[in-house]
Amino acid sequence: MSDGASRPWEGAGTVSNASSTAPARVRRLRREAWGFAIGSLCFLAGALPFYADWAGAVWTNVTFFVGSIFFTAAALIQLLLSGRRPPRQHTNRPDRADWWSAAIQFAGTLAFNVSTAVALIAAIARPDMVGAGWRPDFWGSIAFLVSSFLAIEATRGRERLWDRDARTWHGTGLNMLGSVAFMVSAIAAFVVPATGDLVSVQWTNTGTAVGAVCFFTAAVLSRRTIHRGALLRRLRRHPAT
């Protein structure tokens, strides 16, 4: 989920004792990756039965809700502040897929905001209710799947992207696996009308946990190439930034 690029000078810190023409490059974790990583850890924790038993229904749902907020904040950074621009008439196919992937992902995180908030309110009202708690959001999971598909399409034309680091095969591959896992958990969370039980509690928790691990791994592997020379020149031109 965290394949978006930060602006070249962000997150690099102060560069000293370097020539303005130095060819040296550094790799920095993308700033939105922190949000995706923290959000993923929250969803992983909430999906673990021993954590749910220890925290209780209310705090487990607080965990999911907090995770969804981190997801949304990171997705918004990726969409609006990473250098992407809405598709225009002459936008090439990879960049077009890249933008729509980020936009649909953001919409999916909003769906998770709503579903986790509703579950939290329900848990506060009746924390002792059997089965009380958040279940993977179906529409949000569909959005993640579509976003992941478009990200793979953008990665196929990586050399033509506005930022070659914006999409990488390990990142888009892991995010697709995570999206599939979330969809499995969403399907398993459907309630069987005849019994009132979920299709599979085990697969609901397993899918959420596996998806969270995939998203977390993609986030921590996300990197941005920073050219020290270009960074130093910018800092000299705009010292206040």
Side-chain angles (χ1 to χ4, degrees):
M1 298 171 88
S2 57
D3 287 310
S6 300
R7 292 172 183 170
W9 60 89
E10 289 171 339
T14 302
V15 178
S16 59
N17 299 322
S19 167
S20 61
T21 59
R25 300 178 182 180
V26 293
R27 301 284 286 172
R28 291 287 187 270
L29 189 68
R30 295 172 181 275
R31 62 180 178 179
E32 65 270 26
W34 291 102
F36 285 126
I38 295 172
S40 298
L41 289 178
C42 289
F43 278 94
L44 174 60
L48 299 176
F50 67 83
Y51 175 84
D53 292 340
W54 172 77
V58 173
W59 284 105
T60 299
N61 282 281
V62 168
T63 304
F64 282 130
F65 179 68
V66 170
S68 75
I69 295 299
F70 274 103
F71 268 9
T72 299
L76 182 60
I77 291 173
Q78 183 173 346
L79 176 62
L80 299 181
L81 303 181
S82 62
R84 287 182 175 83
R85 298 174 64 182
R88 302 185 179 187
Q89 182 178 359
H90 300 295
T91 300
N92 64 48
R93 183 171 180 176
D95 278 332
R96 189 179 298 274
D98 176 58
W99 187 89
W100 277 109
S101 174
I104 293 173
Q105 175 182 258
F106 176 64
T109 65
L110 293 178
F112 274 78
N113 289 161
V114 173
S115 63
T116 54
V118 169
L120 176 57
I121 293 171
I124 292 174
R126 292 189 58 188
D128 58 341
M129 182 176 63
V130 176
W134 179 77
R135 297 292 179 260
D137 182 79
F138 182 75
W139 296 110
S141 297
I142 287 181
F144 282 2
L145 270 177
V146 174
S147 171
S148 296
F149 174 80
L150 290 172
I152 289 176
E153 183 65 24
T155 308
R156 291 175 58 189
R158 183 182 175 198
E159 297 299 323
R160 299 168 58 198
L161 284 175
W162 63 281
D163 171 20
R164 290 175 57 186
D165 289 341
R167 301 291 175 183
T168 60
W169 283 114
H170 66 257
T172 52
L174 284 167
N175 284 330
M176 175 57 83
L177 288 176
S179 298
V180 170
F182 262 39
M183 178 54 69
V184 168
S185 66
I187 294 173
F190 276 115
V191 177
V192 179
T195 63
D197 297 326
L198 303 183
V199 171
S200 174
V201 174
Q202 180 179 354
W203 278 107
T204 296
N205 292 332
T206 300
T208 303
V210 170
V213 169
C214 291
F215 294 147
F216 175 81
T217 305
V220 299
L221 291 178
S222 178
R223 292 292 185 272
R224 173 84 165 99
T225 300
I226 300 172
H227 300 265
R228 286 183 178 272
L231 171 63
L232 184 58
R233 287 195 296 273
R234 175 170 180 82
L235 291 175
R236 285 175 174 171
R237 289 197 302 267
H238 307 283
T241 61

